[in-house]
Amino acid sequence: MCIRDRYQRRVRGGRGGSMRHNDLALMAVFLLALACRTEAQTPSVQPVHDMLVRVLGASTKQQVNFDLRLDPSMRQGFKLFSPSTAANVTAVSVVASGLPELAFGAGYYLRTSAAMSFSWMRTGGNNVQPPSSGFAPVPVLVERYKKVKWSYYQNVCTGSYSMWWWDWDRWEKEIDWMALWGVNLVLAYTGQEQLYKQVYNDLGVNDTILERTFDGPAFLTWSRGQGSFGFGGPLPASFMESQVALNVKIMTRLKLLGMHGILPGFQGNVPKELPAIFPGANSSGGWLDGLDPLFHTVARALAAQVVTEFGGSDFIEADGWFSLETGPWLSTLSSSSSDHRAPNSSRDSVPCEFGGVPFVVPSESEAYVRGRSVFADLTSGSPNATWVYQGYPWFRVWDVCPQSRVALRGFVKGFTDAIPNNKLLVLDLVADGGGDRAIWRYPVDPDTGVKFTRNASIIWCALNNWGGAVHLGGDLSFVMTETSDFFAGMGDQAAGVGLTPEGIDNSPAYFSMVLDSPWTTQPTASDWLQEWGEGRCGNPGVAAAQQAYQLLFETVYRPGQQYLWCCSKPVFCPTALPGDDLSLIHISEPTRLLSISYAVFCLKKKKKKQNCKYIVTIKVRTEKVHRHQNQ
């Protein structure tokens, strides 16, 4: 019971007093009510402390002597200092605006002052070694304030390429990693098939049909919204049920750490057999028209299930088919049409082809009426929710069909105008690809001077991985420059940065830099990588480690190497070492292995008549570089 309630009981139970005493009592109740309200609104810092204990090791619980505090009145950011009056002079105080910033602030101290690093499990994992004497004090006040609000994580493909087999133990480690890097907006797509099953069963769709609709466990990405039906299935009932329980745990932990989970909304993809069950429904090829009454029924039933099972969210994601060929808010579908071409499509474009399917960009009016209707359906379970939308279809049309760019502008105008202000969050999914892939850089409308993205809020995202390819690389300098320009150039529309790799467990420094970009004060990408390397190797100032990371910066992370298109063939990435006729086949970063940190570079000589392989090993303990030649 809040102290306010106890006090009110005492006041009500006492004898009548003078007006002065009653007034004082009422004033006290009012002040206590404000105190209780503040107490209720300020979350506990215990989840962050528990996260640090998990990461640093249960045996170090007594060593986690962070003084963690929240100050909701401060700007989005954190402060680090060592109180001079603390009984334990080694205590480190972290004060932050919210729980994600608090976790990031503690992680920042561990990375920059305690030579630690935090990475995906298969890229070296967390390199931690808490000192037995406790953490060193912070010599001077450190203040960092975030340049944008959101730090987003996951592509809708990531679950299938990297996560489908994860249990709670693995998810817990991932969420801890997110927290240490300040992630506060997370895709939470796990378990949705069971919810769809409940919705469709209630509508009379039997399990036999659903077995031909849902892909198998490792391929769910493609039956969730990319036109695949039953591949690798049937999906076991036990798997569907277990995934719901798993996502309940995921959402619960995200909320405890102050993160927002993005839950799924209905995208219009339905069983192919739907026309036979609902003959009047306007569906074609497994897609349902966004204005059809059945669309409203399914979308609202799913939204209710999402709230029932997962507690709802302030963020709902729905994308439709990425290729923009179809999708509930795009066009009027016709079951007799084989090319999905909208009868009212814009006349400003000529047909494009995506995967051999002709397509015309829908009109502004179509985009508006469907965008408005679908938004109401998506948010029916959570009226204050924001629609999160992957901007990949926009980039796809702009890049592949330049003849349709005028029509695309009209479509984007209609779509964005249909959504209330501050309720559409667009992921610039391939912004790190540069060129025509970065939506935020598209030129303004030459006639009106309005930005291409209109009033939508934009998250600058780094994909850098197609198809779960195993590689190491990316242009760190490009990330630093582009994110800085994005923050300045987009103004209030710059909502955040995000990671959208199709597969994780690769290029840890690259993706970590993206998450650090709203915070870092390092002047250059090379300086940032050296700072990263100190934590990665766990021993700052070692010449061989510095040499290793300089070599990494000059090769796989070098300027001009902003994108690796490696996923269509074995991992032979197009990287050449400067001053040598060797090309890179595989590379891994230095990491702590017991007391030794090392980097291995496997190289292949380019000369046709020779097939020499080289292994370069950098051993930090001896600070020597050895090159071995294997014939």
Side-chain angles (χ1 to χ4, degrees):
M1 180 185 297
C2 175
I3 189 173
R4 172 195 61 191
D5 300 318
R6 293 195 296 267
Y7 189 87
Q8 286 178 326
R9 290 183 60 181
R10 290 181 61 187
V11 170
R12 287 195 298 268
R15 298 178 179 178
S18 66
M19 181 66 69
R20 174 179 173 81
H21 288 161
N22 288 338
D23 288 346
L24 290 174
L26 289 173
M27 181 177 293
V29 169
F30 174 74
L31 293 175
L32 288 169
L34 290 179
C36 284
R37 183 179 179 185
T38 301
E39 176 184 332
Q41 288 181 340
T42 302
S44 169
V45 301
Q46 189 63 39
V48 175
H49 181 274
D50 294 343
M51 177 273 295
L52 292 171
V53 171
R54 285 192 299 272
V55 170
L56 297 175
S59 62
T60 65
K61 187 172 183 179
Q62 300 303 319
Q63 299 173 27
V64 183
N65 55 347
F66 285 99
D67 170 31
L68 303 175
R69 286 180 280 158
L70 292 178
D71 180 3
S73 67
M74 67 182 288
R75 288 168 50 194
Q76 187 177 14
F78 67 88
K79 299 177 182 179
L80 290 175
F81 58 93
S82 291
S84 57
T85 58
N88 183 354
V89 296
T90 64
V92 177
S93 288
V94 188
V95 180
S97 55
L99 291 175
E101 294 75 31
L102 190 68
F104 181 86
Y108 176 87
Y109 170 85
L110 294 173
R111 289 187 290 113
T112 60
S113 298
M116 298 185 188
S117 71
F118 311 102
S119 304
W120 286 312
M121 302 298 293
R122 291 185 174 181
T123 61
N126 297 329
N127 295 327
V128 298
Q129 190 175 359
S132 58
S133 58
F135 294 110
V138 180
V140 295
L141 174 67
V142 175
E143 295 183 82
R144 295 288 183 271
Y145 297 102
K146 200 174 183 183
K147 300 180 182 70
V148 286
K149 182 175 183 179
W150 299 112
S151 294
Y152 170 83
Y153 179 46
Q154 280 190 59
N155 189 306
V156 295
C157 298
T158 314
S160 289
Y161 281 116
S162 303
M163 301 172 170
W164 71 267
W165 50 271
W166 286 5
D167 57 12
W168 169 241
D169 181 67
R170 180 62 185 86
W171 264 109
E172 184 175 51
K173 289 180 173 62
E174 192 76 359
I175 295 172
D176 289 345
W177 170 84
M178 296 180 209
L180 289 164
W181 282 104
V183 171
N184 54 7
L185 190 59
V186 184
L187 196 62
Y189 260 27
T190 302
Q192 60 181 280
E193 281 69 30
Q194 179 67 15
L195 277 60
Y196 272 106
K197 179 181 182 297
Q198 295 168 357
V199 169
Y200 284 132
N201 285 168
D202 289 344
L203 291 173
V205 180
N206 62 45
D207 289 349
T208 301
I209 290 175
L210 296 180
E211 287 176 355
R212 297 195 296 265
T213 300
F214 302 142
D215 284 350
F219 308 100
L220 289 174
T221 287
W222 295 275
S223 58
R224 287 173 177 172
Q226 297 196 54
S228 177
F229 297 89
F231 183 83
L235 190 64
S238 59
F239 180 84
M240 288 191 283
E241 294 169 358
S242 68
Q243 292 294 286
V244 172
L246 179 58
N247 206 42
V248 169
K249 291 184 177 181
I250 292 170
M251 286 293 295
T252 300
R253 180 59 56 83
L254 293 178
K255 291 176 182 179
L256 281 175
L257 288 167
M259 305 181 196
H260 294 265
I262 305 172
L263 292 171
F266 180 52
Q267 304 190 108
N269 51 312
V270 295
K272 286 185 175 181
E273 295 85 352
L274 200 70
I277 304 172
F278 299 94
N282 184 12
S283 65
S284 175
W287 291 91
L288 185 62
D289 189 309
L291 297 182
D292 193 277
L294 186 59
F295 183 96
H296 305 313
T297 299
V298 176
R300 290 173 181 263
L302 179 68
Q305 285 288 344
V306 165
V307 172
T308 299
E309 296 291 349
F310 303 138
S313 173
D314 290 333
F315 295 89
I316 305 295
E317 177 149 349
D319 303 305
W321 203 348
F322 293 167
S323 66
L324 199 66
E325 294 159 5
T326 55
W329 45 85
L330 301 184
S331 61
T332 301
L333 303 178
S334 172
S335 59
S336 62
S337 173
S338 61
D339 63 7
H340 303 285
R341 191 174 304 173
N344 297 319
S345 295
S346 172
R347 300 300 112 193
D348 293 324
S349 67
V350 297
C352 299
E353 280 199 6
F354 298 120
V357 180
F359 171 73
V360 175
V361 176
S363 68
E364 177 183 334
S365 60
E366 284 184 306
Y368 179 85
V369 69
R370 280 166 177 76
R372 182 176 59 180
S373 179
V374 172
F375 177 79
D377 291 334
L378 292 176
T379 58
S380 60
S382 303
N384 294 320
T386 294
W387 184 352
V388 180
Y389 178 74
Q390 292 194 137
Y392 183 83
W394 300 355
F395 135 65
R396 186 174 170 86
V397 172
W398 186 275
D399 186 47
V400 177
C401 297
Q403 69 271 25
S404 296
R405 289 178 178 178
V406 173
L408 182 62
R409 285 188 186 277
F411 167 78
V412 171
K413 181 180 185 301
F415 182 44
T416 55
D417 285 352
I419 314 302
N421 285 339
N422 301 316
K423 291 299 181 181
L424 177 61
L425 188 58
V426 175
L427 304 178
D428 199 344
L429 202 72
V430 201
D432 65 330
D436 288 339
R437 303 183 187 98
I439 294 171
W440 77 274
R441 281 202 175 275
Y442 289 177
V444 299
D445 189 318
D447 297 325
T448 65
V450 176
K451 292 177 181 177
F452 174 85
T453 51
R454 311 294 297 184
N455 64 339
S457 299
I458 308 297
I459 292 183
W460 190 101
C461 296
L463 195 145
N464 199 52
N465 181 282
W466 297 96
V470 179
H471 72 269
L472 184 70
D475 185 344
L476 295 181
S477 297
F478 183 82
V479 169
M480 179 170 279
T481 300
E482 284 292 290
T483 53
S484 179
D485 289 350
F486 170 74
F487 302 149
M490 289 298 286
D492 292 340
Q493 285 182 266
V497 297
L499 307 186
T500 53
E502 290 194 340
I504 62 169
D505 296 322
N506 63 89
S507 307
Y510 181 85
F511 289 112
S512 297
M513 177 183 237
V514 175
L515 293 177
D516 202 28
S517 61
W519 300 95
T520 185
T521 59
Q522 291 292 349
T524 68
S526 178
D527 292 321
W528 185 93
L529 189 61
Q530 287 294 333
E531 179 183 79
W532 161 270
E534 290 184 354
R536 185 78 168 172
C537 295
N539 192 359
V542 177
Q546 294 170 345
Q547 179 186 0
Y549 276 91
Q550 183 59 30
L551 180 59
L552 285 172
F553 182 74
E554 293 173 357
T555 54
V556 293
Y557 289 136
R558 73 180 186 272
Q561 184 71 7
Q562 68 192 52
Y563 226 66
L564 291 176
W565 296 86
C566 305
C567 57
S568 62
K569 52 189 175 182
V571 187
F572 288 84
C573 299
T575 304
L577 296 181
D580 206 339
D581 59 345
L582 302 175
S583 62
L584 179 69
I585 296 177
H586 178 76
I587 189 168
S588 55
E589 284 189 14
T591 183
R592 179 187 292 116
L593 180 62
L594 298 178
S595 61
I596 300 177
S597 298
Y598 64 93
V600 177
F601 304 80
C602 302
L603 311 172
K604 182 178 180 180
K605 198 157 186 175
K606 291 182 178 179
K607 292 182 179 180
K608 295 181 180 179
K609 295 183 179 181
Q610 298 184 17
N611 188 23
C612 299
K613 292 185 178 179
Y614 294 80
I615 299 177
V616 179
T617 305
I618 300 174
K619 293 188 176 181
V620 173
R621 176 189 284 178
T622 59
E623 299 190 28
K624 293 181 180 179
V625 179
H626 306 281
R627 172 171 288 190
H628 308 287
Q629 179 173 338
N630 298 326
Q631 297 290 344

